Amino acid sequence: MSKTPIQTSGRCVNNFIKRLEKKIGHEEAEQLKDTAIEVVQNCVDVYSQIFGSGDVGAEGTGIVSNRYKATKHEEIPSGTTGLIYGRVQSGKTNATIATLAIAQENKFRCFIVLTSDNTWLGKQTADRFNTQMKYGPVVFDWEQWKKDPQDFARSKLLPYIKDTGVVLVSTKNKSHLDRLLQVLKSANAHSVPTVIFDDEADNASLNTNEAKQSKKGKNIVPDSAIFDKIGKIRKEVANHIYIQITATPQSLLLQNLDHPCKPVFCAALPKPGGTYMGGDLFFENNSPYCWNVKSEEINQLKKQQGENPGNKWVIPPGLRLALCCFFLGSIYKMQSEIDDDDAIFSFLAHICYKQDIHSTLDKIISNFVIELDHAIRGTLSTTDEKQARKCLVEAHQELSKTAKSLPPLDDLIKDLKDELRRAIPRVINANDPNKQPSYNPGMNILIGGNRLGRGVTIEGLMVTYYGRDAKQKMMDTVHQHARMYGYREELKDVTRLFLPEHILEDFRNIHEADEGMRQAIGDDPTNIKIKPVWVGPKLQPTRSNVLNPAEIDAFTPGSATFPHAPLWKSSQIKENTEALNNLLSPYQDNDQYYEVDIDFMIKALSFMPSERVRRGKWDDERVKQALKQMKAEGIEKGRLNVRRKTSKGKNLTRQNPGDWGGSGFVTSTILSRAKKDYPDVPTLVISYEKGEKKDKWDDQPLYLPILIFPKNKFVFMFNYSKEAEEQEDE
């Protein structure tokens, strides 16, 4: 695609980047501007290719010269969708503002900004655009055209839409989108080049009837309401570029190639600077910032409902420690932040979407705060005082692991006596008339579910107590719950995440898959013919109702996988071992990585059967399918290494299913060599083991495989569940 010359600076974007530098630093601000330039270059090139040159770009007119005419088969022009792919809580709105400012310099004149159907978030977004786009287009929001869309369009939009340009911010609410469509019609918005920015595009914008339509047909099942409304807006401003914005693009990338929501170009936002706390901090093995809560504790909290005689609410040890860490960490920061008496510190409890559980959690935490307050001030029994101090000692020891300058406990308790009674929990859910967090200076305890999920930034978040555990987990949904991510370097040393081990493992898997997908996109952002993926059935990439039924799950670029439950009994594998003895006999050099056909690798794997392990990536058929997909993508050869004497010895001890860890059946050095020397093709490492009874085998030799995926431009996704299950309402 030829590149149209574009303007890369202007008064509006320069002013915005200058202000942004003060918050995130010069280098990070410049990287964000470079990404915005990249997005606008793509927008201009795609627009010029599809609608003709001359409307946009450095020498553009800002007027549509050749209006797109819809056809029966293509009402919305294909190939006009792009993607801005950032990290959770990493400043995607800043990237959108910078992109919009540069797009205005290149003669786009109508900008539509769609936000989630949350009035507070919508107003927050509108205010940010209005205050931070100095010297730019005029910004309006849905409240301003609510009463009379036609009059608003004539009196407010027409004077500016072909001049400085206009920004129209609307929540993805059916009524709001209907009125926005009226505004666009009345303002003749089709006459100017348009950019639509759809924030959290994977959430409410997709067709939630996609799966049903694939079975019954579109004539029987209509498009879902919001998808339909956005489609009508796209038809009205036909000469447009539609930019999706999200940190979780799985559902977008998995759309059919001809789908109007399938992006054709992508800009992956640069990795945030050193002040950002993300998955690398929380989900590396043995992270000091994570504390494992027993699963039984979360269940206990959910069961404490209804009447509670004597108001004796039971607080489990994990929640108690989490709160005490928050109290001491807050006091520490208050003592050190003497220049900011209004500093805000927050504790987030997010264990369920159900409102009755929010109420229960409120009572449990409130009761604990009151009792702890009275105990440390000496108004309760000596026994209560000792118990309170014991809890605080444990929290002090926990924080000391990362907060090296933490004051002595007695110094913290002295100020805690005056502050603790102000730490009153607040429930943020649909029953809250404010519909949003409100903060007091000092300690804030927030309890909630969906309202504290996608898109919400928790100010001063220090400690998160997380137990949300859907039966069928969606990668994108769970990832969006990572409120603990964000720019809070000043709170890093006292930041903690409390959650059960199995949920922590899910987050780890999601983080790994996300980084692999980001790596794949980043290699060639203009070519995103990717199948992003994750292994089911417990962890799926997204809601099945927004996808055509497909097999979905993931092996990430450059990763290694092996069976955690290989078959080993003589009755099961004796014939397989004999077949492999013949098949692998030409490959005798332990240190040689032979070039072989992909089909040969698949054949060899067919003689090394295993059983599925819960949350294990390896599935015999899945691995073979991945190799077949590589071959379909043009990778016809791979590497084979057969180790008849592994560096771990020829007598490897058998582990129970699921207990194999680390690099599996060989050392990490062997895997590292394959990744380093043959990064562009798959490598199959096969370890021959004696299988002796003294090592818990069955006196039957066997072969054990490890497959290393190429560090290439695609991520493999699979999902072998046979039918869509009902998901909890998000």
Side-chain angles (χ1 to χ4, degrees):
M1 184 188 302
S2 61
K3 291 187 177 295
T4 302
I6 67 169
Q7 289 283 359
T8 59
S9 64
R11 194 177 183 191
C12 178
V13 68
N14 292 345
N15 176 74
F16 173 67
I17 295 298
K18 185 177 180 180
R19 294 174 63 184
L20 196 60
E21 286 179 354
K22 298 177 182 178
K23 295 182 178 180
I24 65 174
H26 174 76
E27 183 178 351
E28 287 80 4
E30 286 299 317
Q31 287 179 341
L32 187 143
K33 182 182 178 182
D34 290 343
T35 301
I37 291 171
E38 175 191 335
V39 175
V40 173
Q41 182 70 69
N42 272 306
C43 289
V44 170
D45 292 343
V46 169
Y47 183 101
S48 300
Q49 181 185 42
I50 294 175
F51 306 118
S53 60
D55 297 356
V56 296
E59 304 299 325
T61 63
I63 302 294
V64 169
S65 57
N66 182 26
R67 186 180 180 187
Y68 176 80
K69 295 180 181 179
T71 67
K72 181 179 179 181
H73 300 291
E74 196 169 87
E75 294 182 306
I76 298 173
S78 63
T80 56
T81 299
L83 171 67
I84 294 179
Y85 176 24
R87 286 174 166 80
V88 174
Q89 298 286 308
S90 66
K92 296 183 295 299
T93 302
N94 288 333
T96 305
I97 293 173
T99 301
L100 197 157
I102 295 175
Q104 185 213 20
E105 294 293 334
N106 288 279
K107 305 307 188 299
F108 286 97
R109 283 295 173 261
C110 181
F111 301 96
I112 299 168
V113 179
L114 304 178
T115 73
S116 62
D117 188 15
N118 180 315
T119 301
W120 167 59
L121 282 175
K123 293 298 290 185
Q124 185 184 64
T125 301
D127 290 344
R128 288 186 65 180
F129 274 84
N130 201 25
T131 57
Q132 298 184 41
M133 291 206 66
K134 193 175 181 181
Y135 314 122
V138 187
V139 180
F140 302 99
D141 67 62
W142 71 96
E143 293 288 353
Q144 293 171 271
W145 63 73
K146 185 175 182 179
K147 290 185 178 179
D148 192 339
Q150 289 84 4
D151 179 68
F152 170 84
R154 289 189 293 267
S155 61
K156 303 292 185 182
L157 258 60
L158 283 175
Y160 290 106
I161 195 166
K162 293 182 180 180
D163 182 17
T164 61
V166 295
V167 180
L168 305 172
V169 182
S170 175
T171 67
K172 286 180 271 192
N173 171 282
K174 288 185 286 186
S175 298
H176 295 167
L177 294 177
D178 277 335
R179 285 190 281 268
L180 173 59
L181 183 59
Q182 295 177 49
V183 168
L184 296 170
K185 290 178 180 290
S186 299
N188 296 320
H190 59 77
S191 63
V192 296
T194 297
V195 179
I196 301 173
F197 294 97
D198 190 347
D199 192 24
E200 307 292 2
D202 59 311
N203 186 26
S205 306
L206 290 171
N207 183 11
T208 57
N209 289 337
E210 192 79 40
K212 292 180 181 178
Q213 290 175 339
S214 68
K215 296 177 182 178
K216 300 180 180 180
K218 288 197 173 188
N219 294 331
I220 297 176
V221 181
D223 291 337
S224 58
I226 300 301
F227 175 76
D228 177 66
K229 303 293 183 189
I230 294 175
K232 289 177 179 176
I233 289 171
R234 294 185 67 179
K235 294 170 193 174
E236 179 60 30
V237 289
N239 292 51
H240 73 279
I241 302 296
Y242 177 59
I243 304 294
Q244 302 164 322
I245 305 162
T246 186
T248 51
Q250 289 87 348
S251 58
L252 303 175
L253 294 172
L254 285 169
Q255 299 295 316
N256 291 349
L257 290 174
D258 59 350
H259 197 281
C261 290
K262 175 79 171 182
V264 295
F265 66 86
C266 170
L269 295 183
K271 191 169 184 177
T275 61
Y276 177 76
M277 296 188 293
D280 292 339
L281 179 76
F282 294 104
F283 304 128
E284 63 179 15
N285 288 327
N286 302 314
S287 168
Y289 300 95
C290 281
W291 201 92
N292 288 336
V293 174
K294 291 184 178 179
S295 298
E296 295 79 12
E297 173 169 322
I298 304 297
N299 295 331
Q300 177 189 356
L301 286 170
K302 293 179 179 180
K303 289 177 182 177
Q304 290 191 65
Q305 299 180 46
E307 296 297 325
N308 196 328
N311 205 33
K312 291 295 182 182
W313 298 94
V314 178
I315 185 165
L319 178 57
R320 183 177 61 214
L321 177 61
L323 287 164
C324 288
C325 285
F326 171 64
F327 298 147
L328 294 183
S330 297
I331 295 299
Y332 165 42
K333 291 303 175 180
M334 289 179 195
Q335 292 177 346
S336 59
E337 299 289 336
I338 55 176
D339 293 333
D340 188 2
D341 293 335
D342 296 326
I344 291 170
F345 310 103
S346 297
F347 175 98
L348 172 61
H350 186 174
I351 68 170
C352 188
Y353 67 96
K354 295 181 179 179
Q355 295 175 10
D356 57 344
I357 293 178
H358 301 162
S359 178
T360 298
L361 203 52
D362 180 16
K363 293 180 175 66
I364 292 171
I365 293 176
S366 294
N367 185 72
F368 175 69
V369 172
I370 292 169
E371 290 191 350
L372 183 64
D373 173 51
H374 283 289
I376 63 175
R377 289 191 292 111
T379 63
L380 298 180
S381 68
T382 302
T383 301
D384 289 328
E385 288 184 43
K386 289 181 179 179
Q387 182 61 40
R389 184 172 183 84
K390 181 181 179 182
C391 296
L392 293 172
V393 166
E394 184 182 1
H396 192 269
Q397 292 173 343
E398 171 62 30
L399 291 178
S400 296
K401 296 175 183 176
T402 53
K404 302 305 181 183
S405 301
L406 191 67
L409 179 59
D410 287 336
D411 291 354
L412 296 172
I413 291 178
K414 181 180 177 181
D415 285 349
L416 184 61
K417 291 177 181 179
D418 296 323
E419 291 288 340
L420 186 54
R421 57 185 174 275
R422 300 175 59 204
I424 302 172
R426 290 192 298 282
V427 174
I428 311 297
N429 59 27
N431 290 331
D432 179 14
N434 294 321
K435 309 294 185 186
Q436 65 187 62
S438 59
Y439 303 94
N440 295 321
M443 293 185 285
N444 296 265
I445 299 175
L446 306 178
I447 301 166
N450 294 338
R451 290 224 175 256
L452 295 179
R454 180 185 287 264
V456 176
T457 299
I458 307 299
E459 192 169 345
L461 182 59
M462 182 181 294
V463 176
T464 302
Y465 184 85
Y466 186 89
R468 187 76 172 268
D469 193 15
K471 292 181 180 179
Q472 190 75 43
K473 293 184 179 69
M474 303 294 106
M475 276 184 67
D476 47 10
T477 298
V478 176
H479 202 182
Q480 285 287 356
H481 288 170
R483 298 301 98 198
M484 72 290 296
Y485 289 12
Y487 292 95
R488 297 183 304 278
E489 173 69 16
E490 72 283 1
L491 300 179
K492 178 179 177 180
D493 57 347
V494 289
T495 291
R496 287 293 185 277
L497 170 61
F498 288 76
L499 76 175
E501 176 64 33
H502 71 282
I503 300 180
L504 173 61
E505 187 62 28
D506 288 338
F507 269 117
R508 277 202 191 104
N509 288 339
I510 290 170
H511 172 64
E512 179 186 341
D514 180 65
E515 289 302 309
M517 191 188 308
R518 196 176 302 275
Q519 179 187 40
I521 291 175
D523 284 346
D524 187 358
T526 62
N527 179 20
I528 52 174
K529 295 177 181 177
I530 305 170
K531 286 186 176 181
V533 196
W534 204 247
V535 181
K538 288 294 182 182
L539 194 59
Q540 295 181 357
T542 188
R543 300 158 290 164
S544 58
N545 62 342
V546 300
L547 300 174
N548 245 332
E551 297 176 339
I552 302 171
D553 177 55
F555 296 120
T556 56
S559 65
T561 185
F562 58 90
H564 284 244
L567 298 186
W568 54 277
K569 293 183 178 179
S570 180
S571 60
Q572 296 172 317
I573 63 166
K574 183 177 181 180
E575 292 182 4
N576 289 328
T577 299
E578 291 172 356
L580 285 172
N581 287 337
N582 294 325
L583 186 67
L584 301 177
S585 60
Y587 310 98
Q588 292 293 325
D589 190 338
N590 240 28
D591 297 319
Q592 180 71 30
Y593 287 75
Y594 299 91
E595 186 178 75
V596 295
D597 293 333
I598 294 292
D599 288 338
F600 181 90
M601 297 171 76
I602 294 171
K603 182 178 181 180
L605 285 171
S606 67
F607 295 112
M608 290 177 274
S610 68
E611 295 178 345
R612 286 285 309 275
V613 173
R614 183 172 179 265
R615 281 201 289 273
K617 287 188 183 184
W618 184 285
D619 174 87
D620 293 349
E621 191 56 32
R622 177 180 298 152
V623 173
K624 295 175 198 173
Q625 287 296 327
L627 288 168
K628 291 177 182 178
Q629 286 294 322
M630 289 185 220
K631 183 178 179 182
E633 293 286 344
I635 301 178
E636 297 186 355
K637 302 281 187 180
R639 293 283 170 166
L640 172 68
N641 175 233
V642 184
R643 311 196 69 80
R644 289 177 173 79
K645 286 187 179 181
T646 71
S647 49
K648 288 186 177 181
K650 56 186 178 182
N651 298 104
L652 193 66
T653 300
R654 183 179 65 83
Q655 305 295 315
N656 291 324
D659 287 350
W660 293 98
S663 54
F665 316 120
V666 297
T667 64
S668 58
T669 303
I670 294 171
L671 301 186
S672 296
R673 180 188 166 186
K675 293 178 182 180
K676 179 176 179 291
D677 293 346
Y678 310 103
D680 298 322
V681 298
T683 298
L684 179 61
V685 178
I686 299 177
S687 174
Y688 175 80
E689 298 298 334
K690 280 188 174 182
E692 295 179 344
K693 265 213 164 103
K694 67 182 179 64
D695 296 317
K696 300 183 180 180
W697 301 99
D698 195 26
D699 280 336
Q700 169 60 54
L702 72 161
Y703 292 85
L704 300 169
I706 300 177
L707 182 64
I708 304 163
F709 289 88
K711 191 177 181 180
N712 217 303
K713 293 185 176 66
F714 39 76
V715 182
F716 294 102
M717 284 201 172
F718 306 91
N719 183 349
Y720 287 98
S721 58
K722 298 299 182 185
E723 58 188 29
E725 294 184 23
E726 286 293 318
Q727 311 301 328
E728 66 174 87
D729 184 15
E730 282 296 335

